[in-house]
Amino acid sequence: MTENAQQQPSAPHTELPTQYAPADVEGPLYERWVERGYFEADAKSEKPPYTIVIPPPNVTGSLHLGHAFQHTLMDALTRRKRMQGYESLWLPGMDHAGIATQNKVEQQLAEEGKSRHDLGREEFVERVWQWKEEYGGKILGQMRRLGDGVAWDRERFTMDEGLSKAVQTIFKKLYDDELIYRAERIINWCPRCLTAISDIEVEYQEDDGELVSIKYGEGEETLVVATTRAETMLGDTAVAVHPDDERYRHLVGKRIKLPLTDRTIPVVADTHVDPEFGTGAVKVTPAHDPNDFAIGRRHDLESITVMDERAVITVHGPFEGLDRFEARSAIVAALRSQGRIVAEKRPYAHSVGHCSRCKTTVEPRLSLQWWVKVGPLAKAAGDAVRDGRVRIHPEDMSKRYFDWVDNMHDWCISRQLWWGHRIPVWYGPEGEVVCVGPDEEPPAGEGWRQDTDVLDTWFSSGLWPFSTLGWPEQTADLRKFYPTDVLLTGHDIIFFWVARMMMFGLYAMDGEAPFKTIALTGLVRDERGKKMSKSFGNVVDPLVWMDKYGSDAVRFTLARGANPGTDVPIGEDWVQASRNFANKIWNATRFALMNGATVEGPLPDPSEMTATDRWILSRLNETVAEVDAFYDDFQFAKLSDALYHFAWDEVFDWYVELSKTTFMAGGEPAKVSGRVLGEVLDVTLRLLHPVVPFVTETLWTTLTGGESVVVAEWPTDSGFRDAAAEKEIGSLQSVITEVRRFRADQGLQPGQRVPARLTLDGTALAPHEAAIRQLLRLQPEGESFSATATLPVAGAMVALDLSGTIDVVAERKRLAKDLAAAEKEKAQANAKLGNEAFLAKAPDNVVDKIRGRLAKADEDIARIQTQLERLPQA
């Protein structure tokens, strides 16, 4: 038995309403939890710590199914650990979301006919703070709706005073260690957001464009190059060929005419060029392509920028002032008129980068930016996983992590925005560059100015596991709760966030990784497994489902689909089924309370219990052990499924039903079973609580009289097992299941009573005759009893008299018709599978489908023949 019964107070049972109404229960319950401080964490506590990092949602965001999914799992982990006696910290907060938030406020200004430049930097930033206070943080209230057990008194924001100090501290430290530098490089530029964005903020998709082949040079000194971006030819400073390409060896070192301009450009030999691809000659535009930039560096080529920050052409009169796409068409037309277009292919599908926030086509652009030298930081992040300090779960996801950290490019951290952490670097009138720490005064005097850029949002969120605990100060929180235990997040942000936190945590915290385990989840998809997208029309607002079915139903559905690293399909039907489960728990507990279920007093000795009592306690402890093992392996789907089937199938459908005769008989056996049922419900509700907190809180406090299941003790496996009782009840279940199946096959109504003779003597089923008769609607045999059907099951014999209950002739006729149809289906399937010509031509999926039809026909034939054999003779 479990070891918690003696700790429960006496429970004066309050009568439960006849129906569970989540809308009436959830809000008040959550506020009560918060008011009582259940979710707060104390750094002075002697309890062992358990800390989870919450991915800080954007201040502009609202709760979507992805949030609801991950938050459900994180909440389940922290609730369980709290019940296990840990000082459990789940710290909430928000990310300032530089580009997204600035865009929101700029849209507001546009509606007023203004731009940020009309306000100026200081006033604009103040306007953003006002927007944040008025509109930001909507998601925090929605997290309460979901039931997130976070420590609200510790809420943080990536631009609050403490986190800003952390950002400035680590920037200064990296700068002094020569791990931050400023340089001209090709970056991804968004002409809509007007800022650099990192590689991982670029989304690639197949776009229809055009591929044009252009003749460069004159006479015998000509080359043909192909491009999808004809507008960049205005910035070409070379044509490159492979040094071993015999076709062009005579041109290497010579200069050829660049069409549409008055410039000549050199032909250079570079091993980057693939001589087998296209014509084997490529145009080189160092200011507008990363590969061309590298070629330019190797050959000391000039870099000519031909577009401004809005991707408008800035050079060469006829095209100056045109948008890049307008210029593309105009340039191709001009080249065509000169006979320089050798070939055109349109549409030409090719991969094009888009800004992940506004979907604008990204423009590679040479720009002076700030960079993090990631080499040593990324190596440390890889080593921490390789040497076992950090575990990635599931393990097969490690490859994706290593693919990223082992091949990471230097990280562009500057953004041309006004909202964010401003780069703490000042420039002097004589070219001085000074990086200023948080406790240092910036240089003053005429001519000194601060860098205008701000830092990439991921720079500050990369500090989240330790900056939120007070770093750079050596706080009690930092000593108690760092390193965190688990980072639970989607596999899609390994590159965005996970790697950043690993690099910064190891660097700032003297080699101590920010978490012990990285538990990666999949992404939520619709019920057909399709990605949720506004364009597909399949995006679901979880708040709508929460209003309709309750937060517990949404949470349980998400948890039940959460296999590690695997995408999670979800549909409304499944949420409705989870709501039905919550109702089942409610109704079964209500019934149990009305029939003597109690937690008062110790559990009776097993010798005083029925086999049914001992069976359910044995199964209860086995379930506790299973659930614990699944939690420790982040197998949320399996633990939810185990709880579902134990609660619904074994407790409610079997134990409660089998115990009804005991309860009706009354006396001491009924008291014993009432205490066992109370124990089973108490433990089951505690096991369910981390995933479905609201309904379990209401039921558990009513059942036990305890303060709150949030702070109740987590169940433990006492080791009690009763194999004999499990075997006995297993036989009982077999009898009931088999007879129920036979009754259904014969078309009997569930409540229809049938005369029966039970031969149970000499079997373990003898004490269960009353329960068998009640559950199967079997009345005693009368004087005229005639056994028309006999069912041998589990060593027992059940003889039924169906003479007065069914029309045997009509039933035989119906079954004979069904048998003929099944045999015809079998013959047709066999004929096709025996046809070699058909098998040679038919696709595999068609052949598999026919094999499935054959197997189904065989099953139907066997089932119908058994039914016919069991029917009484007409």
Side-chain angles (χ1 to χ4, degrees), residues 637-870:
K638 290 181 179 179
L639 72 88
S640 299
D641 220 42
L643 286 169
Y644 175 90
H645 288 294
F646 175 72
W648 192 308
D649 300 346
E650 297 186 290
V651 178
F652 306 145
D653 281 359
W654 282 111
Y655 180 72
V656 169
E657 292 299 319
L658 290 172
S659 300
K660 281 182 178 178
T661 52
T662 303
F663 289 135
M664 286 190 293
E668 194 59 30
K671 291 181 180 179
V672 170
S673 290
R675 179 65 190 87
V676 169
L677 179 53
E679 176 77 2
V680 171
L681 287 174
D682 167 23
V683 173
T684 302
L685 291 170
R686 281 185 280 146
L687 289 174
L688 280 165
H689 172 72
V691 180
V692 283
F694 294 107
V695 67
T696 52
E697 170 80 343
T698 305
L699 295 176
W700 187 85
T701 52
T702 302
L703 171 71
T704 68
E707 178 189 343
S708 171
V709 71
V710 176
V711 290
E713 185 177 330
W714 181 254
T716 56
D717 174 14
S718 70
F720 176 81
R721 301 290 190 278
D722 193 323
E726 291 202 37
K727 183 177 180 182
E728 180 176 329
I729 301 305
S731 297
L732 176 59
Q733 290 171 323
S734 296
V735 170
I736 292 171
T737 300
E738 184 61 26
V739 176
R740 278 177 174 167
R741 183 182 297 118
F742 175 75
R743 287 176 57 107
D745 288 344
Q746 304 310 312
L748 296 176
Q749 295 300 314
Q752 190 172 351
R753 303 193 69 82
V754 177
R757 176 186 300 139
L758 305 184
T759 306
L760 307 176
D761 294 342
T763 73
L765 298 173
H768 302 287
E769 179 168 353
I772 292 171
R773 286 189 176 277
Q774 177 179 327
L775 293 175
L776 292 173
R777 304 294 190 269
L778 302 179
Q779 62 191 41
E781 55 188 291
E783 293 183 4
S784 60
F785 178 83
S786 174
T788 58
T790 304
L791 306 177
V793 189
M797 193 71 71
V798 179
L800 303 174
D801 183 354
L802 305 178
S803 56
T805 57
I806 61 172
D807 184 338
V808 176
V809 174
E811 187 63 15
R812 281 190 175 277
K813 186 175 180 180
R814 182 185 70 81
L815 290 173
K817 184 178 179 181
D818 290 348
L819 181 61
E823 288 173 336
K824 181 179 179 181
E825 175 73 4
K826 178 178 179 178
Q828 290 175 341
N830 274 327
K832 286 190 175 182
L833 294 174
N835 185 334
E836 294 295 334
F838 170 78
L839 292 177
K841 295 179 182 178
D844 289 345
N845 65 318
V846 172
V847 175
D848 289 343
K849 188 174 181 180
I850 293 171
R851 287 188 178 126
R853 285 168 49 193
L854 176 61
K856 175 70 166 53
D858 282 334
E859 290 176 7
D860 289 345
I861 290 169
R863 176 179 54 80
I864 295 168
Q865 287 175 339
T866 300
Q867 289 177 244
L868 284 167
E869 290 169 4
R870 287 175 169 176

Side-chain angles (χ1 to χ4, degrees), residues 28 133-134 197 218 243 259 273 278 354 375 463 473 521 523 592 639 664 679 712 714 812 821 849:
E133 294 303 318
E134 186 172 354
I197 58 176
E218 302 289 353
V273 180
H354 296 261
L463 314 181
E473 307 302 328
T521 70
L523 309 179
L639 72 88
M664 286 190 293
E679 176 77 2
W714 181 254
R812 281 190 175 277
K849 188 174 181 180

Side-chain angles (χ1 to χ4, degrees), residues 507-535:
Y507 174 74
M509 300 300 293
D510 299 320
E512 194 167 24
F515 17 75
K516 299 165 189 172
T517 300
I518 300 169
L520 297 172
T521 70
L523 309 179
V524 179
R525 296 183 176 271
D526 72 12
E527 57 207 277
R528 296 177 180 84
K530 194 173 183 179
K531 180 180 178 181
M532 288 193 176
S533 165
K534 290 180 180 178
S535 60

Side-chain angles (χ1 to χ4, degrees), residues 74-337:
M74 287 184 276
D75 193 35
L77 290 172
T78 49
R79 283 178 182 269
R80 172 177 175 253
K81 285 295 182 179
R82 188 178 294 112
M83 295 172 75
Q84 287 182 316
Y86 287 79
E87 195 64 28
S88 193
L89 172 61
W90 188 25
L91 188 148
M94 293 183 298
D95 190 283
H96 65 277
I99 295 177
T101 309
Q102 179 157 319
N103 282 347
K104 288 279 188 183
V105 178
E106 289 198 85
Q107 288 167 12
Q108 275 192 348
L109 290 173
E111 292 171 3
E112 301 170 15
K114 298 177 183 177
S115 75
R116 59 176 161 138
H117 299 286
D118 294 324
L119 273 65
R121 183 169 194 141
E122 188 174 332
E123 189 178 340
F124 176 79
V125 170
E126 179 58 34
R127 178 76 174 254
V128 181
W129 277 108
Q130 291 172 8
W131 182 93
K132 184 256 182 189
E133 294 303 318
E134 186 172 354
Y135 301 105
K138 176 182 178 183
I139 192 172
L140 298 178
Q142 295 167 341
M143 287 164 57
R144 302 170 89 95
R145 284 285 316 278
L146 188 65
D148 282 7
V150 295
W152 288 112
D153 70 334
R154 294 169 176 268
E155 182 189 332
R156 303 303 299 269
F157 181 55
T158 51
M159 283 185 63
D160 67 30
E161 184 178 352
L163 270 63
S164 295
K165 181 178 182 181
V167 168
Q168 196 171 351
T169 299
I170 201 163
F171 187 100
K172 170 73 171 172
K173 181 174 170 59
L174 288 162
Y175 182 87
D176 289 346
D177 288 345
E178 298 183 349
L179 292 172
I180 280 183
Y181 64 95
R182 194 178 190 219
E184 270 199 325
R185 297 280 189 276
I186 292 288
I187 49 90
N188 304 296
W189 181 264
C190 176
R192 161 62 183 81
C193 298
L194 298 180
T195 182
I197 58 176
S198 65
D199 291 345
I200 50 179
E201 293 170 299
V202 178
E203 294 177 347
Y204 288 89
Q205 66 184 46
E206 289 291 310
D207 285 358
D208 282 340
E210 60 181 350
L211 180 69
V212 293
S213 298
I214 308 168
K215 183 172 66 175
Y216 282 29
E218 302 289 353
E220 293 182 1
E221 296 182 353
T222 61
L223 289 151
V224 174
V225 301
T227 182
T228 58
R229 301 170 68 221
E231 68 280 7
T232 63
M233 69 166 290
L234 301 176
D236 286 359
T237 54
V239 173
V241 298
H242 194 277
D244 298 331
D245 194 332
E246 294 289 345
R247 294 172 295 176
Y248 305 120
R249 182 167 290 177
H250 67 290
L251 292 177
V252 174
K254 293 185 177 181
R255 300 184 71 88
I256 61 174
K257 181 77 164 57
L258 178 64
L260 304 183
T261 73
D262 56 3
R263 292 192 290 119
T264 61
I265 57 176
V267 177
V268 299
D270 196 282
T271 54
H272 171 75
V273 180
D274 180 2
E276 302 299 322
F277 184 77
T279 64
V282 297
K283 60 192 287 296
V284 181
T285 321
H288 291 278
D289 183 274
N291 293 320
D292 293 4
F293 178 78
I295 294 174
R297 283 292 179 93
R298 288 194 289 272
H299 297 277
D300 197 24
L301 300 174
E302 183 184 4
S303 294
I304 300 175
T305 299
V306 299
M307 293 179 224
D308 68 10
E309 61 184 9
R310 298 182 185 276
V312 173
I313 302 298
T314 57
V315 299
H316 200 68
F319 311 108
E320 191 172 354
L322 295 180
D323 170 80
R324 54 183 163 163
F325 300 122
E326 296 172 337
R328 181 177 301 172
S329 299
I331 287 170
V332 170
L335 290 167
R336 190 184 299 114
S337 70

Side-chain angles (χ1 to χ4, degrees), residues 220-483:
E220 293 182 1
E221 296 182 353
T222 61
L223 289 151
V224 174
V225 301
T227 182
T228 58
R229 301 170 68 221
E231 68 280 7
T232 63
M233 69 166 290
L234 301 176
D236 286 359
T237 54
V239 173
V241 298
H242 194 277
D244 298 331
D245 194 332
E246 294 289 345
R247 294 172 295 176
Y248 305 120
R249 182 167 290 177
H250 67 290
L251 292 177
V252 174
K254 293 185 177 181
R255 300 184 71 88
I256 61 174
K257 181 77 164 57
L258 178 64
L260 304 183
T261 73
D262 56 3
R263 292 192 290 119
T264 61
I265 57 176
V267 177
V268 299
D270 196 282
T271 54
H272 171 75
V273 180
D274 180 2
E276 302 299 322
F277 184 77
T279 64
V282 297
K283 60 192 287 296
V284 181
T285 321
H288 291 278
D289 183 274
N291 293 320
D292 293 4
F293 178 78
I295 294 174
R297 283 292 179 93
R298 288 194 289 272
H299 297 277
D300 197 24
L301 300 174
E302 183 184 4
S303 294
I304 300 175
T305 299
V306 299
M307 293 179 224
D308 68 10
E309 61 184 9
R310 298 182 185 276
V312 173
I313 302 298
T314 57
V315 299
H316 200 68
F319 311 108
E320 191 172 354
L322 295 180
D323 170 80
R324 54 183 163 163
F325 300 122
E326 296 172 337
R328 181 177 301 172
S329 299
I331 287 170
V332 170
L335 290 167
R336 190 184 299 114
S337 70
Q338 294 183 7
R340 290 192 172 273
I341 299 296
V342 176
E344 297 179 69
K345 184 177 180 181
R346 62 169 69 87
Y348 177 73
H350 61 128
S351 181
V352 178
H354 296 261
C355 174
S356 61
R357 290 178 177 83
C358 70
K359 311 309 176 187
T360 301
T361 300
V362 167
E363 191 64 42
R365 187 169 188 252
L366 184 62
S367 182
L368 183 62
Q369 301 283 347
W370 285 94
W371 304 80
V372 171
K373 186 185 294 183
V374 300
L377 302 174
K379 182 182 183 303
D383 290 345
V385 175
R386 287 188 170 96
D387 64 23
R389 280 175 288 158
V390 177
R391 177 173 71 109
I392 292 181
H393 187 281
E395 190 176 350
D396 59 9
M397 284 283 177
S398 298
K399 182 179 184 302
R400 296 188 66 184
Y401 177 79
F402 291 132
D403 285 346
W404 179 251
V405 297
D406 292 348
N407 301 286
M408 195 182 297
H409 301 298
D410 283 1
W411 171 20
C412 176
I413 56 171
S414 45
R415 298 291 180 267
Q416 289 64 55
L417 304 171
W418 288 355
W419 171 246
H421 296 99
R422 195 164 174 182
I423 289 176
V425 171
W426 271 254
Y427 306 108
E430 303 300 326
E432 303 96 330
V433 179
V434 177
C435 181
V436 178
D439 300 319
E440 299 171 351
E441 287 295 324
E446 187 176 349
W448 283 93
R449 59 184 178 82
Q450 186 178 358
D451 195 298
T452 57
D453 289 350
V454 300
L455 288 163
D456 179 9
T457 297
W458 296 102
F459 190 95
S460 51
S461 59
L463 314 181
W464 191 256
F466 51 95
S467 64
T468 53
L469 298 175
W471 187 90
E473 307 302 328
Q474 295 304 307
T475 63
D477 280 353
L478 198 62
R479 290 190 293 271
K480 176 77 172 179
F481 296 111
Y482 188 93

